[in-house]
Amino acid sequence: MNLLGKSFSVLILLLSVVFMVLALAVNASHRNWRDMVLADDGLKAQIESYERTNDQLREARARTQAELDREKAARRTALAALQTQLDQLESQLRESESTVQQLQAKNTELAQLDRSRAEELEKLTAETTMLRSQIRKEQQDRDTLFAETLKLTDDMNALRGIVQLQEDRNNQLLAQVTRYKEVVDAAGLNINDPLDGAPPERNGNVLVINRPRKLVEVSIGYDDGLREGHFLEVTRGGRYVTRLRVRDTEPDRSVAEILNDYSEGTIQEGDRVDTTIE
């Protein structure tokens, strides 16, 4: 065997060793993907578990939304009933005030008439006995007017009592309305906010991004009507980027979680944040 034959023999030996090592490496790194997917704790079982959990969360959210809608409807009904009752009482109060003014005008007129008759009576007392019958008649007329005046005075006092009761009731209703407003303010609600629980239309910007924790800080907060659980839409130059869920709020800023399922790009500082987008 010459030198060339020996060289080929050595080369064939080296290549055999190399191919054997490669075959052993491939065999060691081989995985049974079917077993990984169909095993009891495999990928398919995990996906089914996640889907069941997601369905349960959707049902819980639907129940919570239904309860919230019922509570809002009950609140609107109660406020409408109170407003109707207030309008009725205000109408009754205006009617009572008008009646009192009319009675006061009539009482003034009767008082003036009574004074006129009294002066006439003084003149008649100086007349002769021929005029006594006329004096007695005038006295009877005066007594009749006086009795009518007393009756009207009693009616006026009764109406004043009714007016006072109406004023007290009106003050009570005003106090109730004030209390309802305090409760609404304490609950952080705004009567101009949408009744479906969505945040008002606001926009801001992304201030800070914590990518390892998938959190961002935005420039709108509690004073802008933002609450925990609200969703925010992120855009850049009119292009949709991703969706955020609010986790914590401060008066002028909030911390939100990046929802990767809605991501269509990488969020950046300075991106526009809206509570709703058209």
Side-chain angles (χ1 to χ4, degrees), residues 4-151:
L4 181 61
K6 293 180 179 180
S7 299
F8 278 118
S9 298
V10 172
L11 180 61
I12 291 171
L13 177 62
L14 292 176
L15 290 176
S16 299
V17 172
V18 170
F19 286 137
M20 181 182 69
V21 172
L22 290 175
L24 291 174
V26 169
N27 184 61
S29 62
H30 177 69
R31 290 185 179 182
N32 191 339
W33 292 104
R34 176 180 177 83
D35 292 340
M36 292 183 65
V37 172
L38 299 180
D40 293 339
D41 57 347
L43 297 178
K44 182 177 180 180
Q46 293 179 10
I47 292 173
E48 292 176 350
S49 176
Y50 292 150
E51 289 178 348
R52 287 193 297 271
T53 302
N54 193 28
D55 293 338
Q56 293 173 358
L57 291 175
R58 286 197 183 97
E59 292 176 358
R61 177 184 177 186
R63 289 194 298 269
T64 303
Q65 184 64 41
E67 292 176 358
L68 180 60
D69 293 340
R70 287 194 295 271
E71 180 65 22
K72 288 180 178 180
R75 183 181 63 183
R76 289 196 296 270
T77 302
L79 289 176
L82 287 174
Q83 184 62 42
T84 302
Q85 189 175 6
L86 178 61
D87 294 340
Q88 292 175 351
L89 290 174
E90 287 178 348
S91 176
Q92 293 176 3
L93 178 61
R94 287 192 296 269
E95 293 176 358
S96 299
E97 289 176 347
S98 176
T99 304
V100 169
Q101 291 176 356
Q102 293 176 1
L103 291 174
Q104 287 176 344
K106 188 173 183 179
N107 184 60
T108 301
E109 180 182 355
L110 291 174
Q112 292 175 354
L113 181 60
D114 185 67
R115 287 194 297 270
S116 176
R117 294 296 176 84
E119 292 173 358
E120 186 177 356
L121 179 60
E122 292 175 356
K123 293 178 182 180
L124 290 175
T125 55
E127 296 291 338
T128 62
T129 55
M130 291 174 58
L131 301 175
R132 287 181 181 177
S133 59
Q134 185 178 356
I135 291 173
R136 285 192 296 269
K137 182 179 181 299
E138 293 295 334
Q139 288 177 341
Q140 292 174 358
D141 293 340
R142 187 186 66 175
D143 292 338
T144 301
L145 290 174
F146 184 73
E148 186 176 359
T149 300
L150 290 177
K151 182 178 181 302

Side-chain angles (χ1 to χ4, degrees), residues 219-227 248-254:
S219 62
I220 53 178
Y222 190 91
D223 291 345
D224 300 300
L226 212 57
R227 300 293 182 269
D248 189 22
T249 60
E250 296 183 5
D252 60 347
R253 60 189 58 210
S254 301

Side-chain angles (χ1 to χ4, degrees), residues 170-232:
N170 186 47
N171 292 334
Q172 292 176 1
L173 290 174
L174 289 176
Q176 290 179 359
V177 172
T178 302
R179 177 57 180 167
Y180 287 140
K181 187 177 184 302
E182 291 175 354
V183 171
V184 170
D185 293 339
L189 300 176
N190 189 327
I191 60 174
N192 296 320
D193 287 347
L195 294 178
D196 57 0
E201 292 187 5
R202 298 289 187 272
N203 64 76
N205 299 100
V206 175
L207 300 178
V208 180
I209 302 174
N210 187 337
R211 298 191 188 278
R213 300 181 61 187
K214 298 181 180 180
L215 298 176
V216 299
E217 182 176 312
V218 298
S219 62
I220 53 178
Y222 190 91
D223 291 345
D224 300 300
L226 212 57
R227 300 293 182 269
E228 182 179 352
H230 282 169
F231 291 98
L232 302 174

